[in-house]
Amino acid sequence: MYIPVIGLEIHAELLTKSKVFCNCSAEFGGDQNSRCCPVCTGMPGTLPVINQTAVEYAVKAGFALNCEINKFSVFDRKNYFYPDLPKAYQISQLNYPLCINGNVPIEVEVNGEKIQKNIRINRIHLEEDAGKLIHDDYNGVSLADYNRCGIPLIEIVTEPDIRSAEEARAFVEKVSLLLQYAGVCDCKMEQGSLRCDVNISIMKPTDSQFGTRAEIKNLNSLKSIVRAIEYEIKRQSKILDGGGKVIQETRRFNDNHGDTKSMRSKEDAHDYRYFPEPDIVQVNFTDEDLAEIRAKLPELPEKRFERYTKEYGLSEADAKILISQKTISDFFNGALEVYNNPKSISSFIIVELLRRVNLGEVSMDNLPFSSKDFAVLVQMADEEKVSKNDAKTILRFMVETGKKPEEIAKENGFLITNDTGKVEEVIENVLSANKAIVEQWLSGEQKVFGFLMGQCTKELKGVCTPKVVKDSLEAKLNSMK
Ligand code: ADP
Ligand code: MG
Ligand code: ZN
């Protein structure tokens, strides 16, 4: 039996408008090589200038991950020769990163029991992303797209505190949530704005030292992180069981085969001939600078969870769902601004809206209506201006058409007029048209009530709620006893 020892390096692209050392757009996509300039394509004689927002975002990430922020920070050149980086070096940070010594609490389930654990963060540094190479095997060429070159990237390095694929997954999910709340990264793994390298070794419980690790590069989904770790545990166990030795190397995960293959032997820091980047000024923060950045940090998920449970009295389970995505939590907060009834809004989001989202009808990222419209709908239902059932239908129409709830209610006759004269009249008519059944009820056959009720409700749709129908009908019948 072996214990897995895992450390992660997470690369997260920062959501700045422009790149980290030039003015090119940092937006995802674009025609190939349309977002490049002499600086980010490494032309001789160009001078990089640091994007202050990128530095600020990296520090915000540090705060979100409970790091210490280094007041003094230096950029270095990491030299390597590969066509994804035309300068032949990456501007990064080696000895004086922006943030150090953080920690991230995670929760995992082991044998049905929830276990809390802290994963320590060794460092967060700021660097530039490399370009993208597209290998065209058919024509036997590789094409280079430098749009991504120079997009600000933070590298988050953990201590080797992770002990299972599940912990790794929980950690990446948590970091991605925190970065989204901090507003510094959109964490879209499928678009590559969050990528992960997994360092993994295994050891016997009796070993006093960690084993030799393999590094699996560039995993771009939670699923492949989990699969790669599980595969590596098996691979390394087999080697050790057979009396062999794991060699320190960099490996690539193949999604189609679910296995990892050796890419190269692992390089050491000295292989990169790091030296201080002479073109970028060193960063010097004052206490005031850091306090200012901290003050700009949006409310993080834990804080919101506390507010939702303590202040609003929501259940922990519901609060957890609401904070599980920033878009959901923001939507909830927005709706409360219009209709301050946390329990009603929360339950309509969780039961009705998220149902539509889970059915794939709509996504929280691009809802065709605002949280304000949603709040109006929930309030209409609470105030019995529409029935609870019709409110669900209205929401479905909102998802389909983006129309305002009042408009949909009006167009479809869902609005309850609460015309008491009309209620009396309908009940009167139904009772006199069903004299025999009324007699049955009066002689004690209570089950016929449902039939009478059904007749009245049908006529009174849009006039009052079923509850009003029931109460009025009961009162009327009782008066006939
Ligand atoms: P490098 O500079 O070679 O990338 P680092 O010391 O920065 O190495 O470590 C990179 C990652 O590897 C870190 O997340 C660290 O926690 C992890 N790590 C270090 N040693 C081991 C080990 N023996 N087994 C598993 N992970 C490890
Ligand atoms: Mg490293
Ligand atoms: Zn540029």
Side-chain angles (χ1 to χ4, degrees), residues 5 160-161 163 201-203 207-212:
V5 172
D161 288 348
R163 292 288 173 273
S201 63
I202 57 172
M203 66 191 283
D207 288 348
S208 58
Q209 268 184 345
F210 291 155
T212 306

Side-chain angles (χ1 to χ4, degrees), residues 9 78 125 155 157 197 199 213 215 217 266 274:
E9 293 162 88
K78 180 180 180 179
H125 66 251
E155 180 173 333
V157 184
D197 300 345
N199 293 270
R213 73 188 140 121
E215 178 175 14
K217 282 277 184 202
K266 170 96 179 102
Y274 274 99

Side-chain angles (χ1 to χ4, degrees), residues 4-8 158-165 168 198-201 229 233:
V5 172
I6 301 162
L8 299 183
T158 75
E159 296 295 344
D161 288 348
I162 297 166
R163 292 288 173 273
S164 68
V198 170
N199 293 270
I200 171 165
S201 63
I229 290 174
I233 294 173

Side-chain angles (χ1 to χ4, degrees), residues 423 427 449 453 456-457 460 464-478:
V423 176
I427 290 177
F449 184 83
M453 168 86 187
C456 298
T457 325
L460 289 168
C464 65
T465 61
K467 186 175 178 324
V468 173
V469 177
K470 181 166 175 284
D471 292 349
S472 317
L473 180 61
E474 258 169 10
K476 183 77 193 170
L477 284 168
N478 280 327

